[in-house]
Amino acid sequence: MDQPQSDTELKTDRSRLRRAHEKGAYDRDSLNAVLDAMPMCHIGYQIGGKPSVLPTLQWREGNHVYWHGSSASRALRAMVGADVCVTVTMLDGYVLARSAFHHSVNHRSAMIFGRPEKVTDTAAKEKHLKTMVDQVFPGRWEDLRPMTSQEVKATSVLRMPITEGAAKIRSGPPVDDDEDYELPIWAGVVPMSLQLHAPEPDPANQQGLVMPDHLSRIRIG
């Protein structure tokens, strides 16, 4: 079971914000809130000594973040035991100021540093994959056919402890130079959000299949 960790330990020389430090948050609740709000992440790593970034889905279980992919993936093999950086971002709005210099965006982001490990136990791997489906598609797992042993074998699951990182959060109206507030220029925020639309059935569905109730409960994060 995950052991509680002091929030202050998440702030390190590598993870602390050098600029706009007032936007930084190093408590576990702030970091977890960003991870839980957006399943899409980007993982920075090195392969063959060169930098690369992998977009993929992530999910959190306690004080660990997980992701999965093909067992044949060169990217996942390169990540195991190596330093990686996992980032998650939610864009919440455009911030229009009275000068181009002070334009910005409202956003929530999280950056985590660490060294992932591969989940090798088959039963544990299946459990974590079920958790991923349950988090992204609540109620879906029970409707699906069971995973085959070959499918489990063909899937790699990586996990990384959340021990070093930071959340960066910007919200609210623009912040202009004092003298610019006297200018007759409109300023404000254009909010934005991700939106799920009505499910579209697969044309190959069997005739008469009714959309399951759990699809109406799917949310982002």
Side-chain angles (χ1 to χ4, degrees), residues 6-195:
S6 169
D7 292 337
T8 57
E9 294 179 24
L10 298 175
K11 184 178 182 180
T12 65
D13 186 62
R14 179 165 57 172
S15 68
R16 70 181 179 87
L17 275 67
R18 262 61 171 185
R19 296 184 65 255
H21 55 82
E22 72 281 358
K23 299 175 185 175
Y26 306 94
D27 62 287
R28 189 165 294 279
D29 287 345
S30 296
L31 202 65
N32 289 348
V34 178
L35 296 176
D36 296 346
M38 169 50 68
M40 192 74 185
C41 74
H42 290 80
I43 305 174
Y45 67 103
Q46 286 200 358
I47 186 165
K50 297 182 179 180
S52 189
V53 175
L54 175 72
T56 188
L57 293 182
Q58 61 81 24
W59 70 98
R60 184 180 65 84
E61 298 182 39
N63 291 340
H64 283 79
V65 63
Y66 291 76
W67 60 95
H68 78 297
S70 168
S71 294
S73 169
R74 290 194 313 144
L76 267 61
R77 290 201 300 266
M79 292 175 187
V80 176
D83 283 315
V84 306
C85 177
V86 179
T87 60
V88 173
T89 303
M90 295 283 287
L91 187 57
D92 296 322
Y94 291 135
V95 179
L96 286 71
R98 293 164 181 83
S99 67
F101 183 80
H102 287 299
H103 275 56
S104 186
V105 292
N106 283 340
H107 70 282
R108 292 161 285 158
S109 63
M111 182 176 288
I112 306 167
F113 301 97
R115 294 183 176 182
E117 63 179 0
K118 186 176 180 180
V119 177
T120 56
D121 181 78
T122 300
K125 189 195 298 187
E126 289 188 70
K127 173 181 173 292
H128 293 309
L129 291 172
K130 179 181 183 300
T131 300
M132 178 195 68
V133 174
D134 286 340
Q135 288 188 13
V136 181
F137 312 108
R140 184 85 177 148
W141 185 266
E142 285 71 21
D143 284 352
L144 304 176
R145 68 156 175 78
M147 292 185 69
T148 67
S149 58
Q150 182 57 39
E151 288 173 337
V152 176
K153 182 179 180 181
T155 305
S156 286
V157 174
L158 270 57
R159 79 175 203 157
M160 189 175 80
I162 304 171
T163 56
E164 181 183 8
K168 186 177 180 181
I169 302 168
R170 203 264 183 222
S171 61
V175 178
D176 275 305
D177 295 332
D178 289 342
E179 59 272 20
D180 287 347
Y181 285 99
E182 302 299 324
L183 297 173
I185 301 173
W186 189 95
V189 175
V190 180
M192 66 177 66
S193 62
L194 287 175
Q195 181 180 356

